[in-house]
Amino acid sequence: MLNYSTSEENYIKAIYHLQQQDGNVTTNELAAELKAKPASITDMMKKLKAKKLLHYEPYQGFSLSNEGKKVALGIIRRHRLWEYFLAEKLKFTWDEVHEVAEHLEHVSSKKLIDKLDEFLGFPRVDPHGDPIPDQDGKIETSRQVCLLDLPFNKAAVVSHVSDQSTEILELLKHKNIVIGTKLEVKKKFSFDNSMEVKAGRQPVFTISEQLAKNIFVKYGA
Amino acid sequence: MLNYSTSEENYIKAIYHLQQQDGNVTTNELAAELKAKPASITDMMKKLKAKKLLHYEPYQGFSLSNEGKKVALGIIRRHRLWEYFLAEKLKFTWDEVHEVAEHLEHVSSKKLIDKLDEFLGFPRVDPHGDPIPDQDGKIETSRQVCLLDLPFNKAAVVSHVSDQSTEILELLKHKNIVIGTKLEVKKKFSFDNSMEVKAGRQPVFTISEQLAKNIFVKYGA
DNA sequence: AAATATTTTTAGACAAATCTAAATTATTAT
DNA sequence: ATAATAATTTAGATTTGTCTAAAAATATTT
């Protein structure tokens, strides 16, 4: 495995996360994610294509190659192991770990990470509940959880609905939700446990606690 | 405390180490230390001077300002805490820790480092026996050790000689060693525990086990 | 399907960090 | 003290990663 610059790694990681949701990633999407200008994205896409880390044809969007996915999973492994370390050993709170891990993840010694993994007792999920890839880049994909428990901004696919009543189906139909619909939780309100959810590029809409209780979703890395 | 680039940090750290020995550091010395070309050194010295991290006049060499020293001690603190972590917790051997710590030291979250320090139990020296600066940049300077125990390439000053015989003085005089002489151990031979030592810019010379046993030195960071 | 709007790419500029080669300053040796 | 040598700096080029503004391609609307 070659070494990549911090910049390259950040692009690869961002593409990985975006393509979990959309399959094919666009220039503007990635620019928004990385808070960079579209022109910068195009520049880097050419570079990453030349390194065979992604598939890219001008104007057609892009997606990681198998090699690119392997690199991404390595970065995610480092990130999540550091998050676990920070929370578990250094007693950071869950909302503090991400930023520091963003920096630690770019220290790319394989030995360091494998020894850290061992030291931590081979944890399977990070403090946010996201699965940690193993040495070979294998990751526990598709974890089914109740929509109530889905972390924010985590793309997930509706995989199961508990209640089979016509009433719930009427509601789901009205909200355009079927098995296979991609969702992302944007906000939760503790007052009534309702949540705001986004499906694809539709505007955000609200789901009540009673409804969320009955929806189960699968999500990956 | 502002943030500095990885490059800037590496220059600052190298100057700090060199000036422990020589006081004033020259362009070529630093170029050799960093494996860079002299022209690159000059460029960076201008930048660091502009940031008030060092004293520098063209052709006159340079040395860290108080602010520069504070920055250097912060980097050294991070480096040595990570070395301790790697050796103590991840079971790296003492010769493996340095390279990885070279990368980890540039992650500059103060909270991370202070929590790491606490997690490690506030260790006072790293696996090489070098003292670890505290939160305020205070470092245990001047540790007196037997020359036999002085680490390689660690500039030290002769502070005490046990034996008072005329024989040892004759030998010391011949080798030009007095209290205050700066030394650095370059090689040790397990066959007879003799060592090769450098004093200033004189050529390397040999000291026997019997002699080294009787020489004590003080050294800093 | 033409006009308009949006997205993406290209062209050219810039800052950081490095280099080479040439010019300058300092040091050393005769 | 002057010439030769060594050290240092300057000038200009290169690479990486970013940007702005303009051009080109695609998508949308009427």
Side-chain angles (χ1 to χ4, degrees), chain B residues 128-189:
Chain B
H128 305 300
D130 294 320
I132 299 174
D134 71 11
Q135 279 103 317
D136 307 315
K138 284 206 191 70
I139 188 168
E140 209 182 277
T141 54
S142 297
R143 321 177 59 240
Q144 180 163 319
V145 297
C146 181
L147 182 53
L148 280 173
D149 301 317
L150 182 64
F152 290 120
N153 297 313
K154 184 64 53 186
V157 174
V158 175
S159 56
H160 179 70
V161 177
S162 312
D163 193 315
Q164 297 290 97
S165 69
T166 47
E167 287 85 354
I168 200 175
L169 294 177
E170 180 198 19
L171 183 50
L172 290 173
K173 187 172 183 184
H174 179 256
K175 293 193 188 281
N176 256 305
I177 297 175
V178 296
I179 302 293
T181 300
K182 281 177 193 166
L183 293 178
E184 231 176 298
V185 176
K186 288 298 183 188
K187 268 196 181 159
K188 293 179 191 176
F189 297 96

Side-chain angles (χ1 to χ4, degrees), chain A residues 5 7 11 37 39-40 43 47 59:
Chain A
S5 72
S7 229
Y11 277 80
K37 299 295 175 230
S40 310
D43 287 346
K47 198 182 307 179
Y59 297 100

Side-chain angles (χ1 to χ4, degrees), chain A:
Chain A
M1 189 86 83
L2 294 173
N3 270 332
Y4 300 99
S5 72
T6 295
S7 229
E8 289 170 333
E9 289 191 346
N10 285 334
Y11 277 80
I12 293 164
K13 190 170 51 126
I15 296 168
Y16 184 90
H17 288 310
L18 288 175
Q19 78 180 24
Q20 294 294 108
Q21 310 170 31
D22 298 352
N24 204 47
V25 182
T26 70
T27 302
N28 268 2
E29 269 180 308
L30 187 51
E33 178 78 10
L34 291 172
K35 280 154 194 170
K37 299 295 175 230
S40 310
I41 305 301
T42 302
D43 287 346
M44 186 59 94
M45 292 311 99
K46 288 185 200 165
K47 198 182 307 179
L48 295 181
K49 185 188 180 178
K51 295 189 179 185
K52 298 194 191 301
L53 295 176
L54 48 77
H55 306 295
Y56 164 60
E57 291 306 323
Y59 297 100
Q60 302 311 127
F62 31 80
S63 62
L64 294 175
S65 67
N66 285 336
E67 183 60 22
K69 278 183 208 150
K70 270 174 62 184
V71 173
L73 286 166
I75 303 164
I76 289 165
R77 170 170 164 78
R78 301 193 300 248
H79 182 96
R80 293 183 180 167
L81 282 172
W82 282 120
E83 284 198 342
Y84 188 92
F85 169 76
L86 293 171
E88 201 64 28
K89 302 292 181 181
L90 301 197
K91 308 299 177 196
F92 275 68
T93 59
W94 77 270
D95 56 307
E96 297 173 319
V97 298
H98 183 75
E99 197 198 316
V100 178
E102 284 289 296
H103 293 101
L104 290 167
E105 71 184 8
H106 299 295
V107 177
S108 64
S109 157
K110 178 159 169 48
K111 184 163 196 174
L112 166 64
I113 296 305
D114 290 348
K115 289 210 168 211
L116 178 64
D117 196 9
E118 188 184 349
F119 173 64
L120 297 175
F122 303 107
R124 290 171 50 254
V125 294
D126 77 8
H128 305 300
D130 294 319
I132 300 173
D134 70 13
Q135 278 104 319
D136 307 314
K138 283 206 192 69
I139 187 167
E140 208 182 280
T141 54
S142 297
R143 323 177 58 240
Q144 180 164 317
V145 297
C146 181
L147 181 53
L148 280 173
D149 302 321
L150 182 63
F152 291 119
N153 297 313
K154 184 62 55 184
V157 174
V158 176
S159 57
H160 179 70
V161 177
S162 311
D163 192 313
Q164 296 291 96
S165 68
T166 48
E167 287 85 354
I168 202 175
L169 294 178
E170 179 198 23
L171 184 50
L172 290 174
K173 186 170 183 187
H174 178 254
K175 292 191 188 283
N176 255 306
I177 298 175
V178 296
I179 302 294
T181 299
K182 283 175 191 163
L183 294 178
E184 230 175 300
V185 176
K186 289 299 182 187
K187 269 196 180 157
K188 293 182 191 175
F189 297 97
S190 52
F191 174 68
D192 60 359
N193 287 318
S194 68
M195 50 174 63
E196 291 204 320
V197 167
K198 211 162 102 61
R201 32 205 70 169
Q202 289 176 236
V204 165
F205 58 94
T206 298
I207 289 186
S208 69
E209 180 182 19
Q210 296 94 308
L211 179 55
K213 236 181 221 167
N214 287 285
I215 298 176
F216 288 81
V217 297
K218 285 185 167 184
Y219 69 101

